[in-house]
Amino acid sequence: MTIVRPEIARLSAYHVPDATGLIKLDAMENPYGWPDDLRDAWLETLRHVSLNRYPDPQGRELQQALREGMAIPPEAAILLGNGSDELIQMLALTVTAPEPGHPTTVLSVDPGFVMYRMIGLFAGLDYVGVPLKSDDFGLDLDAILAAIDAHRPALTFIAYPNNPTGNLFGTAAIEAVIEAAPGLVIVDEAYAPFTDESFLPKLGRWSNLLVMRTVSKMGLAGLRLGYLAGPPEIVEQIDKTRLPYNINVLTQASATFALRHRAVLDEQTAAICRERERLFAALTALDGLTPYPSQANFILARTNPGQAGRVYDALRDHGILIKKLDGAHPLLADCLRITVGTPEENDALLAALGDIVNPG
Ligand SMILES: Cc1ncc(COP(=O)(O)O)c(C=O)c1O
């Protein structure tokens, strides 16, 4: 069909496997629900939401709750997105090449979060992915600085911690990237609930630094809410690409409520961090699997050569869904990504893996 842009026609649609009846360890969700009293209090809040009215366009009450709950510096402006995916889209729609003679380019590291490239492509931007170091998935600073020099990116995305590798890049290296980049640098802290490190306190130190976060991984993935914090003069421009009323009334009310009851979510994320360490030790003890250290709520693990597909399929047969990354990038050969679940889910995973990779 000639009406479709060729780069779109070449794509396959984003595929989400059906997880019905399976232990779901594929999508970095928080596996815990809420205690009954909290659920009741939340439902009571929703009684007062006016579904017949458009939402507050800026989500001011929610912004305030985020500012207080997440310690966003007062001098930073906030922009809300329908998931951080939508914020990436707004960023892509806002920018142009910072220097003449270059295409408008998105730069990130590979393997990294695929939506930087995908959304860049949707918006008609070029994408440059700088390979991570093959031994520890660290940032190859020389390579990234050379790529910045050659491509003069409008947007540079650094996920901190990185998905799908789970590691934090060195702070000094990220700061060197911020200093070298001619455009905006977005430190994507989607996995902030699982690490103590953050660039939020550094906002304002560089005029091109923005920090992006989401409530998805802390336990509110169903609400679809991301937030971007940065210099007001930049945020104001990005805000112009936002579709009116992008954060619906139920999300605004529910997220504001959840942030006022943060302690429950904080306990859950702390439990996930404890389980991550237990899971990491147990995976290390398996002969046929090498896990990589993680500061996020998932663990990347490498199987013996050629075994990733077999392990993935066998886990599915045991009723457990994880993510197969083998084939997604050369550095991810034989790799699987396992989201940390509840203790019971992790036990089920470990028991199944014991049968699959260390049979007998
Ligand atoms: C690094 C990173 N950024 C952003 C997102 C998207 O988050 P959201 O659910 O807010 O769209 C993800 C989701 O997996 C991610 O891994």
Side-chain angles (χ1 to χ4, degrees):
M1 223 203 306
T2 49
I3 199 165
V4 177
R5 284 161 52 197
E7 63 272 33
I8 301 295
R10 276 195 297 270
L11 289 176
S12 24
Y14 189 79
H15 173 65
V16 179
D18 181 13
T20 313
L22 300 176
I23 295 179
K24 195 169 184 312
L25 302 179
D26 66 327
M28 286 85 85
E29 292 144 330
N30 171 338
Y32 299 103
W34 287 0
D36 284 346
D37 55 343
L38 191 63
R39 190 173 282 266
D40 288 345
W42 164 59
L43 290 172
E44 188 52 36
T45 312
L46 294 187
R47 291 169 74 87
H48 306 287
V49 172
S50 302
L51 291 184
N52 57 319
R53 300 287 177 200
Y54 283 111
D56 178 315
Q58 261 74 43
R60 279 165 300 184
E61 199 188 345
L62 174 53
Q63 279 205 26
Q64 195 50 35
L66 284 167
R67 198 178 271 289
E68 287 162 16
M70 305 298 177
I72 297 173
E75 59 279 10
I78 303 177
L79 182 60
L80 304 182
N82 190 333
S84 32
D85 288 346
E86 195 194 31
L87 291 166
I88 302 170
Q89 188 179 48
M90 287 187 232
L91 281 156
L93 294 176
T94 302
V95 293
T96 185
E99 287 167 18
H102 292 273
T104 309
T105 300
V106 175
L107 184 140
S108 191
V109 294
D110 280 343
F113 182 45
V114 290
M115 293 313 285
Y116 308 141
R117 177 166 47 84
M118 295 295 284
I119 293 172
L121 185 143
F122 301 158
L125 312 187
D126 281 14
Y127 177 81
V128 173
V130 181
L132 293 174
K133 289 186 184 159
S134 57
D135 50 347
D136 62 355
F137 297 121
L139 213 57
D140 183 343
L141 186 58
D142 289 344
I144 198 166
L145 291 179
I148 288 174
D149 202 38
H151 300 283
R152 314 309 287 154
L155 297 173
T156 300
F157 287 96
I158 304 282
Y160 185 76
N162 189 43
N163 171 18
T165 55
N167 55 321
L168 283 167
F169 302 128
T171 319
I174 297 178
E175 292 183 359
V177 168
I178 299 169
E179 270 161 28
L184 303 178
V185 177
I186 301 93
V187 176
D188 178 352
E189 299 191 341
Y191 300 96
F194 312 101
T195 173
D196 293 331
E197 301 297 322
S198 174
F199 271 69
L200 262 189
K202 296 180 202 261
L203 276 179
R205 203 183 290 179
W206 297 276
S207 60
N208 60 339
L209 171 67
L210 296 149
V211 174
M212 185 170 73
R213 286 194 174 182
T214 173
V215 301
S216 295
K217 320 295 172 184
M218 70 190 273
L220 303 170
L223 292 182
R224 307 302 298 128
L225 177 70
Y227 53 103
L228 185 70
E233 61 282 8
I234 296 172
V235 170
E236 189 189 325
Q237 298 299 326
I238 304 165
D239 187 41
K240 294 179 189 171
T241 68
R242 186 173 55 83
L243 294 178
Y245 313 118
N246 62 330
I247 312 297
N248 72 70
V249 284
L250 296 175
T251 294
Q252 291 198 24
S254 303
T256 306
F257 173 87
L259 288 163
R260 302 248 140 92
H261 297 85
R262 260 282 293 286
V264 174
L265 297 176
D266 288 347
E267 275 168 34
Q268 295 177 347
T269 49
I272 292 168
C273 290
R274 286 194 299 274
E275 275 298 294
R276 175 184 69 203
E277 300 316 311
R278 183 177 77 93
L279 195 56
F280 182 80
L283 293 173
T284 308
L286 291 172
D287 271 348
L289 218 53
T290 309
Y292 289 89
S294 168
Q295 296 289 307
N297 62 342
F298 58 84
I299 294 175
L300 183 76
R302 202 183 290 274
T303 64
N304 288 336
Q307 293 299 303
R310 183 184 74 82
V311 174
Y312 173 84
D313 290 342
L315 278 175
R316 243 193 113 103
D317 292 343
H318 280 72
I320 300 169
L321 183 64
I322 61 166
K323 178 87 177 172
K324 184 167 59 133
L325 292 168
D326 177 62
H329 186 274
L331 291 180
L332 295 174
D334 307 311
C335 281
L336 302 168
R337 189 188 63 202
I338 302 166
T339 302
V340 179
T342 63
E344 299 72 32
E345 291 173 335
N346 300 331
D347 284 345
L349 170 88
L350 290 168
L353 279 176
D355 290 347
I356 297 163
V357 297
N358 291 156

